C-alpha cells in the first residue's frame, strides 16, 4: 500500500472523527454526547493530567472558536480525490473512449462548488448589530415558544430578534441562524443559506459524478477482460467460478487507490445526499436546523411561563407560508418592510 493510499485512509479517519465531534458538540443531552462524555471520564483515569489539559485546549480551540483547520481538511480531501481522478481514472477512461463532456463534468461541478464555497464563507450571514437591530426585530414575529420577546443576549447585550441565536464560535448573534459550519468557517444564517444549499448540492453532485464515472470504468474493465466467465484456484486447490467477492478483491489489488476512492465517494454521496434532503426539507418548511432541533423537545415538555403547569405545549411553526414561498424566502430574505406586512 503506497503513501497516497495511506494518506487517503488517514484523511477519512480524521474527518470521520471530526464530524462525530461536531455532531456531539453543543448537544449535551444527546446519546452521542453522553457517550463521549462518559468515555472521557473513563480515560481521565489513565491519561496524564497534562495531556488532558492540552487536549481540552486543543478541542476548545477547534470546536469553540473559528478555525481554518477544517477548511484546510476540506481542500486537502478534494485535492486528494481529484488528484486520483485526474491522474488515473480520467486517463484510463480517455483511453476507453468515454465521452469527453462526461469526464469534464466533475471539474465543472468543482468550479461551481468553489464559487459557492467562497460566497458562503465570505458572505455576512446576518450579524445582528446595534445599527440593524431595530429593523431585524421587525422581520419575524415572536412565536412565544421557541422565541419570546424581551430575551436579552448576555454577550451582545441586545434583545434577541425572533429566529436569531448567539453563535458561541463567532461570539455574535446571527439573524435566522441555522448552524455554524466548521467546513466553511462561517455561520449559516438568513443571508447566506442560499449559497450553503447550492454549495451542498454541488458537493453532493461532485461526489456522485466521480462515483458514477469510476464505477463505469471498473465495470468496463471487467466486461472487456471477460473476467466474470473465468475461474480461479482457491486455497484448497479447487477450481471455482469467479464471484463478486473475488472480483472486488482482484480489482482492489489491481487498482487499489481507485477502488478505495470509489468506496469513499459512494459513502460520501450517501451521507451528503441524506443531509441535502434534510436541508431541503428545512427550506421547504421554513425551519432552521436550530429550530427543528429545539422543536423536538416540546412533545414531552412544558412551557411554564406561558402555559399552565398541567398543559403541554404543542409547537406550531408560524413561519411557514407554503413550500414555494418558503423556498423563495431562502433566496430572497425578507426585509423589515416585508416583515411588517406579514
Amino acid at each position: 500500500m503506497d503513501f497516497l493510499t495511506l494518506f487517503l485512509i488517514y484523511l477519512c479517519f480524521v474527518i470521520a472523527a471530526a464530524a462525530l465531534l461536531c455532531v456531539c458538540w453543543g448537544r449535551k443531552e444527546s446519546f452521542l454526547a453522553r457517550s463521549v462524555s462518559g468515555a472521557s471520564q473513563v480515560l481521565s483515569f489513565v491519561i496524564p493530567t497534562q495531556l488532558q489539559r492540552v487536549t481540552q485546549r486543543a478541542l476548545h480551540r477547534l470546536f469553540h472558536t473559528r478555525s481554518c483547520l477544517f477548511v484546510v481538511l476540506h481542500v486537502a480531501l478534494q485535492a486528494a480525490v481529484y488528484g486520483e481522478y485526474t491522474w488515473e481514472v480520467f486517463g484510463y477512461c480517455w483511453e476507453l473512449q468515454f465521452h469527453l463532456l462526461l469526464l469534464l463534468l466533475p471539474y465543472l461541478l468543482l468550479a461551481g462548488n468553489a464559487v459557492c464555497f467562497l460566497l458562503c464563507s465570505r458572505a455576512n450571514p446576518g450579524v445582528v448589530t446595534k445599527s440593524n437591530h431595530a429593523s431585524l426585530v421587525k422581520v419575524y414575529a415572536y412565536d412565544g415558544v421557541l422565541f419570546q420577546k424581551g430575551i436579552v443576549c448576555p454577550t451582545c447585550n441586545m434583545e434577541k430578534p425572533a429566529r436569531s441565536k448567539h453563535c458561541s464560535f463567532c461570539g455574535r448573534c446571527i439573524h435566522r441562524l441555522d448552524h455554524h459550519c466548521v467546513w466553511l468557517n462561517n455561520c449559516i444564517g438568513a443571508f447566506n443559506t442560499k449559497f450553503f444549499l447550492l454549495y451542498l448540492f454541488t458537493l453532493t453532485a461532485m461526489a456522485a459524478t466521480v462515483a458514477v464515472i469510476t464505477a463505469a470504468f471498473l465495470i468496463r474493465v471487467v466486461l472487456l477482460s471477460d473476467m466474470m466467465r473465468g475461474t480461479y484456484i482457491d486455497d484448497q486447490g479447487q477450481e471455482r467460478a469467479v464471484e463478486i467477492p473475488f472480483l472486488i478483491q482482484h480489482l482492489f489489488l489491481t487498482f487499489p487507490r481507485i477502488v478505495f476512492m470509489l468506496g469513499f465517494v459512494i459513502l460520501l454521496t450517501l451521507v451528503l445526499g441524506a443531509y441535502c434532503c434534510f436541508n431541503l426539507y428545512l427550506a421547504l418548511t421554513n425551519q432552521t436546523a436550530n429550530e427543528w432541533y429545539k422543536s423536538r423537545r416540546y412533545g414531552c415538555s412544558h412551557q411554564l411561563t406561558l402555559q399552565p403547569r398541567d398543559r403541554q405545549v404543542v409547537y406550531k411553526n408560524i413561519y411557514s407560508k407554503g413550500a414555494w414561498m418558503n423556498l423563495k424566502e431562502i433566496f430572497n430574505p425578507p426585509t423589515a418592510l416585508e416583515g411588517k406586512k406579514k
Side-chain angles (χ1 to χ4, degrees):
M1 190 177 294
D2 58 17
F3 173 76
L4 181 57
T5 304
L6 292 173
F7 178 68
L8 287 171
I9 294 174
Y10 171 74
L11 277 179
C12 292
F13 279 113
V14 168
I15 291 171
L20 177 61
L21 288 171
C22 287
V23 171
C24 295
W25 209 270
R27 298 186 178 185
K28 298 180 180 179
E29 298 178 357
S30 68
F31 172 75
L32 286 175
R34 291 196 302 269
S35 301
V36 172
S37 177
S40 300
Q41 293 177 2
V42 173
L43 292 175
S44 64
F45 293 104
V46 295
I47 298 177
T49 303
Q50 188 64 28
L51 182 59
Q52 292 181 40
R53 292 175 181 173
V54 172
T55 304
Q56 290 173 357
R57 285 197 295 267
L59 291 175
H60 182 272
R61 174 67 178 172
L62 288 176
F63 299 105
H64 276 284
T65 60
R66 298 188 69 180
S67 172
C68 293
L69 174 63
F70 289 96
V71 176
V72 174
L73 286 176
H74 177 280
V75 175
L77 182 60
Q78 283 191 339
V81 171
Y82 270 84
E84 181 63 26
Y85 174 79
T86 301
W87 295 113
E88 294 209 38
V89 177
F90 187 94
Y92 287 135
C93 290
W94 180 253
E95 292 178 4
L96 293 174
Q97 298 182 344
F98 277 59
H99 198 285
L100 180 60
L101 183 60
L102 176 63
L103 297 179
L104 293 178
L105 183 57
Y107 299 105
L108 298 177
L109 291 170
L110 176 63
N113 181 258
V115 172
C116 295
F117 175 86
L118 291 174
L119 290 174
C120 193
S121 60
R122 297 287 184 178
N124 177 6
V127 180
V128 181
T129 63
K130 292 182 179 180
S131 60
N132 65 12
H133 178 268
S135 61
L136 292 180
V137 167
K138 301 174 182 178
V139 174
Y140 294 112
Y142 293 92
D143 63 2
V145 180
L146 298 184
F147 307 104
Q148 301 181 35
K149 189 176 179 59
I151 301 297
V152 177
C153 174
T155 303
C156 300
N157 197 27
M158 291 186 295
E159 181 182 1
K160 291 184 178 180
R163 309 192 76 182
S164 69
K165 187 178 184 298
H166 185 83
C167 175
S168 59
F169 290 82
C170 302
R172 55 195 184 183
C173 285
I174 306 296
H175 180 51
R176 198 185 182 275
L177 176 68
D178 187 273
H179 69 288
H180 181 94
C181 182
V182 294
W183 302 105
L184 296 167
N185 198 26
N186 197 10
C187 291
I188 308 302
F191 303 134
N192 66 346
T193 298
K194 54 188 175 185
F195 301 131
F196 177 72
L197 290 176
L198 294 175
Y199 161 78
L200 198 57
F201 291 148
T202 53
L203 190 63
T204 306
M206 284 165 51
T209 304
V210 172
V212 168
I213 295 175
T214 305
F217 158 68
L218 294 176
I219 292 173
R220 182 75 66 87
V221 169
V222 171
L223 294 177
L224 291 176
S225 63
D226 206 20
M227 193 180 303
M228 291 301 295
R229 297 182 182 180
T231 59
Y232 70 99
I233 305 300
D234 64 11
D235 296 336
Q236 286 75 34
Q238 297 180 351
E239 186 177 6
R240 294 181 178 275
V242 173
E243 299 173 344
I244 299 298
F246 175 84
L247 183 61
I248 295 175
Q249 182 182 14
H250 175 76
L251 289 174
F252 184 78
L253 292 175
T254 308
F255 308 104
R257 294 193 300 266
I258 293 178
V259 173
F260 176 80
M261 184 190 71
L262 176 60
F264 176 72
V265 292
I266 288 177
L267 177 62
L268 193 63
T269 301
L270 295 175
V271 173
L272 289 174
Y275 191 51
C276 277
C277 292
F278 175 67
N279 278 271
L280 182 60
Y281 162 75
L282 293 179
L284 294 176
T285 56
N286 206 330
Q287 298 182 82
T288 65
N290 175 57
E291 293 166 3
W292 178 86
Y293 177 70
K294 285 184 175 180
S295 66
R296 302 304 97 187
R297 306 175 185 175
Y298 288 92
C300 56
S301 62
H302 295 76
Q303 185 68 27
L304 302 180
T305 57
L306 298 179
Q307 302 288 347
R309 290 181 179 272
D310 59 345
R311 183 179 175 184
Q312 191 176 38
V313 169
V314 178
Y315 171 72
K316 181 179 180 181
N317 182 12
I318 66 171
Y319 306 112
S320 180
K321 300 177 286 295
W324 173 249
M325 293 301 296
N326 293 338
L327 196 60
K328 183 179 177 181
E329 183 176 310
I330 295 293
F331 289 90
N332 185 26
T335 63
L337 182 60
E338 293 170 340
K340 281 183 176 181
K341 295 178 180 179
K342 296 173 183 177

